[in-house]
Structures are given as structure tokens and as C-alpha cells.
Amino acid sequence: MAEAFRTTTTTTTLLVLSLLVVAVRSDTAATPVTPSTACNETTDPNFCRTVLPSNGTSNLYTYGRFSVAKSLANANKFLALVNRYLSRRTGLSAGAIAALQDCQLLSGLNIDFLSSAGATLNTSANSTLLDPQAEDVQTLLSAILTNQQTCADGLQAAASAWSVRDGLAVPMVNSTKLYSVSLSLFTRAWVPKAKGGKSGGGKKSKPPRHGHGRGLFDATDDEMVRRMALEGAAAAVAVVGEVTVDQSGAGNYTTVGDAVAAAPTNLGGSSGYFVIRVAAGVYEENVVVPKNKKYVMMIGDGIGQSVITGNRSVVDGWTTFNSATFGEFLSPVLGTGFVAVNMTFRNTAGPAKHQAVALRSGADLSTFYLCSFEAYQDTLYTHSLRQFYRACDIYGTVDYVFGNAAVVFQGCRLLSRLPMQGQSNTVTAQGRTDPNQNTGTTLQGCTIAAAPDLAANSAFTVATYLGRPWKLYSRTVIMESEMDALVDPTGWMPWDGDFALATLFYAEYNNSGAGADTSRRVTWPGFHVLNSTADAGNFTVGNMVLGDFWLPQTGVPFMSGLN
């Protein structure tokens, strides 16, 4: 990546502009309106009118707080319903039980998220919220919808879960509508209006920034490797404790799972990280980082050296969600901040086993640096919340980066492998379901190329596409990246007929390489070739994930804006 130049816009000027925008928005949101008027611009006005009290008038702030409180009550009822099904397991297949267990976990997280969002809205001194608070709440409300959709997807995929699915269908649909109304009302009241058109259907439009953000040291990637791997994590970040995993028995633990279990619970970010060093070796285990294991930093001996591997797949009876070799799904109520450095996460199920996840990330403010993710279909599940990947390698075939997080990949390699006969490769399958979700996938300064097995098989003709719309408001932006000739000239692949082609937001900006020519790209209403730095700037680290607020403490180098 070329060295970026630093912005000439002062922090003071940006803050003043931000305050002016919020002040104008605050005056509008504080104006009393009827419930019917408040519902007019939500995603489902008719349903919204059944949610809000029918008499009297209030303002958007009051309606937003009311809707979030009602959503919390609903989330508790939905979890109780799921628990009732799980308590009566007679007649339920293993697949149905697995899908319900996913719903149980996700519903519990929704209660955490709604409690946190409600507390923020009820205790704020003013009706207005400034970044990062406004973005934090929008992130939580976005993730609630993602969690509910994941629950629905798991039950839909479990062919033997018909009776369960039928019993949960109406409560699930109504829950989704209610959560969407809460997000709509919050966005109208607390989030400045987005630009239309190319801002991506709901992403706030902010001044474009250029230049680098840094960790605690003004370091390059190579310098950070030396400091973290050779001098110890304390050379780069604050550390509260450190253990070693070594299969030989020379460390504190012989498995990664045991080391995770030993980490302190609910660490605060100001205290520092609990560091788990993973010595070289192939660790055959499925690891889950529980929601209370916050601020864990995992440092290996390098890509291909410290390897966590498993082989779960949907074909073998696992849900896509729980097929992950490594999963972290942490509650962001007190912050999370998971970091992995110099690690490989692998799923060896193979292409014939279809969905088989190497890593699933649902931890807010999670960071992966100099890591590799290796599988075939659905390699990397960027499930929800805010994530950052720097200088990583991702190998796969079908939809190998998928999910509904707000996520930026910077300086990464996306490497398409040899799929099964008759399959095409799709790099991304972004899962945004609601126009007010602040989610989307950004590839910046990345390389899209063939993995060695595909490159060596010249007789095997495989089309590689940049992405396809998994959900209705799918959003993916690829910018300042290099695309090899394996990228199909049309660039993007439909999911099913004309589904989502008018509502998705796919964009390319200032890319290079033999596959970057946009003259023969799809002509869908939702596809854009961006020519403005202001439009592209919405999807940078500084704007897409507000990285300037939280990435410095990780010690990981990052670029805040555009090249």
C-alpha cells in the first residue's frame, strides 16, 4: 500500500461541524409529533403504529426509548419460548436442538445488547449522542437484528425442525419487525441523516480522511511483528497477565481452550490485555471464547506455525454458526477487544462438506493481525458488531467472507481455491437485512488472487466473483485493491434471480490489476463505481468502524482513511 498523506482538516474543525450537524438533528428530533407521524419513515410504518401508544404526542427520542424498552421485554419472552422448546427435547432431532441452542445463545446476547442500549439512552444527560456513543448504540441495535436472523437461518436449515420452526415463526417475525422499528426510530432521532445514493443506503456521510492511524508505537507491520513476537506483548500494549500454550508441556497449558478458560472475566480495556501465547504446533480443537472473556490477546509463532484446526461442517450435522473451528462471541456491554496475531485458523472438512467455518467472529472491536483463515465454503464468518483485519490471508471458495459485521480488511490477501466441479468462487456474501444497520464489508488495499491449487490447475475453468447478495441490503465496497485476472469481468454474481439487485450497495473505487476493469461490470441498480473520495471515505477504518477510537490500544498498525 502506498504511504498515505495526512489530513489537513483540523480535529477542532471536524468537531465543530459534527456538533452543528447534531444540533440541527436534535432540534428536529425533539419536536413533538404524533405516533403515526413518528412511524412514517420507519421500515414498517403499519407495524410501528401497533407498537407506539396511540394517544398523545411526544418526540422521536421518547418514542425511541419506548421502542427499545418494548424490544427488551420481547427479547426476554422470546428467550423463554426457546428455553421451553429446549426443555421438552422429546421428539426433537439433533439438528433441531443445535439450531435452538444457537437461538438460545443469540437471544441471551440480544437481552444484553438491549439492556445496554436502553441504559445509554435513558441515562444520557442530553437527548443527543456524539460518536462513539451514537455509533455504539446503532451497532448494538444492528447486531440484535443479525442475531435474530441467524436464529431464523439455523432453524430454516434444520430440515427436521419443522415443528419448532412453525411454533417460533410468528414470534420470530414479530420480534424482527419490532427490533427493526427500534433501529429505525433510533436512527431517525440520534443519527445524522445520510447522503442519498452513493452513501450506501444508511451509512453516515463524514468528511473523508487520509493518513495513518497507529497503535501505541508508530510502527510498520514488520516492526510490530518484532515487538510482539520477540520482545513480548508488553512492548506493544498494556498487559495484565500472560500464559503460554505448548503441546510439549513446557508452557502453562497444552490446549488453547484451557488457556481461554483461565483468562480473567470481564476485564476492562483500561487495565490491559490478558495475553495467551500459542507456541508452534497444530492444535486439533474447537475453541469458543465466552462472552465474559474480554480483552484477550492471542499471539502465535506465525502463520502456518501456530494452527488451530477442526473439521465440523453442515453436512456432518452442525449448524453453520457452530461449525466454526474458533468462535468468539463476546458481549460488548463492557467492551471486548479480542486480538489475534500470528495465528492460523483452519477447517479441514473440505469442499464436499459445504458450509464449514474456520473462524466466526462476533466480538465487538475485534482485531486480527497477520493471521490466516483456511477452509473452502464459508471460511470466515464476520458475524456481527465491529471488526478489523490487517495483513491477513483468507482462503476459500464459495462465500468465503460472509456475515453482517461492520468490518474492514486492510492489506489482506483474498485467495480463491479450487472448488468442486461446477462451482464458482464468490469472495464475499454480505448479510445486511435492514437499511438502517451500520454494517458492511470493506476491502481496502487488498489483493484478490488465485490460491496455489487454483493457479496450478489451468485446465479447470473457474469463475471468481467479488460477491453476491446473501441478504436484501447486502453492502460491500472494494477500494484501492489489486484484482488479478481470475475476477470475472461482470464482477458480481446474483444470488437468486433479481433478489436484492436494487436494494444492495456494491461499489468499487480506485482498484488496479487485470480484473479491475469496470467497463463490463453488472448493470444492477445497486452497483456503483465510485469517483468521489467523499463517497469512498464513508467505508474507511476511520468511518466504517470508528477505528481511531479503539484500534490504537491494540498496538496494530492501521490506516484511518484513504491512500
Side-chain angles (χ1 to χ4, degrees), residues 102-414:
D102 290 350
C103 292
Q104 185 182 51
L105 169 64
L106 295 162
S107 298
L109 287 168
N110 279 354
I111 292 170
D112 290 347
F113 296 177
L114 283 162
S115 298
S116 178
T120 299
L121 299 185
N122 290 331
T123 60
S124 56
N126 303 307
S127 294
T128 58
L129 296 172
L130 298 178
D131 283 337
Q133 267 194 317
E135 191 87 2
D136 289 346
V137 175
Q138 191 178 10
T139 295
L140 291 173
L141 297 178
S142 296
I144 289 160
L145 279 167
T146 302
N147 290 346
Q148 197 72 1
Q149 185 65 52
T150 303
C151 170
D153 288 345
L155 289 171
Q156 183 67 29
S160 56
W162 284 106
S163 61
V164 175
R165 188 161 61 243
D166 290 346
L168 289 176
V170 172
M172 189 171 297
V173 168
N174 287 337
S175 296
T176 300
K177 287 181 178 181
L178 178 56
Y179 301 155
S180 181
V181 165
S182 292
L183 178 58
S184 294
L185 290 169
F186 172 81
T187 303
R188 284 189 64 199
W190 278 277
V191 179
K193 280 187 178 292
K195 285 183 181 178
K198 291 183 180 179
S199 65
K203 187 67 197 170
K204 294 194 294 295
S205 204
K206 302 177 186 178
R209 283 180 278 183
H210 300 265
H212 286 276
R214 290 297 192 186
L216 299 182
F217 294 87
D218 187 17
T220 64
D221 288 333
D222 288 343
E223 289 169 334
M224 286 305 301
V225 171
R226 177 178 58 79
R227 285 175 175 161
M228 284 184 167
L230 300 180
E231 299 176 17
V237 297
V239 173
V240 297
E242 185 169 327
V243 297
T244 299
V245 181
D246 194 323
Q247 291 176 322
S248 71
N252 305 96
Y253 302 96
T254 57
T255 69
V256 176
D258 285 345
V260 169
T265 58
N266 293 321
L267 275 178
S270 59
S271 302
Y273 289 92
F274 181 78
V275 175
I276 299 174
R277 285 194 168 277
V278 183
V282 177
Y283 297 82
E284 296 183 10
E285 52 180 309
N286 289 85
V287 180
V288 175
V289 181
K291 70 177 184 178
N292 60 358
K293 301 293 184 178
K294 304 173 188 296
Y295 292 97
V296 169
M297 176 177 285
M298 191 170 291
I299 303 176
D301 282 343
I303 288 176
Q305 299 299 308
S306 298
V307 180
I308 303 175
T309 185
N311 62 1
R312 292 178 179 175
S313 70
V314 167
V315 170
D316 287 335
W318 299 91
T319 62
T320 300
F321 184 83
N322 262 328
S323 70
T325 298
F326 190 96
E328 28 100 10
F329 216 79
L330 312 180
S331 172
V333 175
L334 298 175
T336 51
F338 179 85
V339 181
V341 182
N342 285 339
M343 296 287 300
T344 288
F345 303 93
R346 182 180 293 162
N347 190 314
T348 60
K353 293 298 180 75
H354 298 286
Q355 296 96 330
V357 176
L359 183 135
R360 181 195 72 232
S361 179
D364 198 24
L365 314 183
S366 56
T367 308
F368 296 86
Y369 179 45
L370 292 163
C371 291
S372 71
F373 309 89
E374 302 172 6
Y376 288 85
Q377 182 171 345
D378 290 2
T379 300
L380 179 55
Y381 196 173
T382 57
H383 183 270
S384 55
L385 302 168
R386 292 167 291 192
Q387 306 176 24
F388 178 63
Y389 296 74
R390 168 86 177 196
C392 292
D393 294 340
I394 306 100
Y395 295 81
T397 55
V398 178
D399 306 338
Y400 60 95
V401 174
F402 77 111
N404 194 26
V407 56
V408 178
F409 294 85
Q410 198 170 81
C412 295
R413 296 194 303 164
L414 292 301

Side-chain angles (χ1 to χ4, degrees), residues 18 21 78 88 94 103 149 191 310 335 338 369 442 469 490 560:
S18 175
V21 170
F78 188 80
R88 305 167 187 167
C103 292
Q149 185 65 52
V191 179
F338 179 85
Y369 179 45
T442 296
T490 60
S560 179

Side-chain angles (χ1 to χ4, degrees), residues 428-507:
T428 67
Q430 207 282 326
R432 187 166 170 253
T433 61
D434 190 287
N436 291 305
Q437 287 178 308
N438 59 354
T439 55
T441 297
T442 296
L443 307 182
Q444 182 188 19
C446 293
T447 299
I448 300 171
D453 61 343
L454 180 59
N457 197 322
S458 57
F460 196 102
T461 303
V462 178
T464 290
Y465 297 91
L466 300 174
R468 59 177 182 155
W470 182 29
K471 302 297 181 184
L472 188 60
Y473 293 96
S474 182
R475 180 160 62 180
T476 301
V477 177
I478 303 177
M479 55 190 186
E480 301 178 333
S481 295
E482 184 174 350
M483 304 180 190
D484 283 2
L486 85 163
V487 175
D488 189 89
T490 60
W492 306 83
M493 180 182 182
W495 186 272
D496 183 15
D498 62 358
F499 170 75
L501 303 188
T503 50
L504 60 79
F505 183 86
Y506 288 166

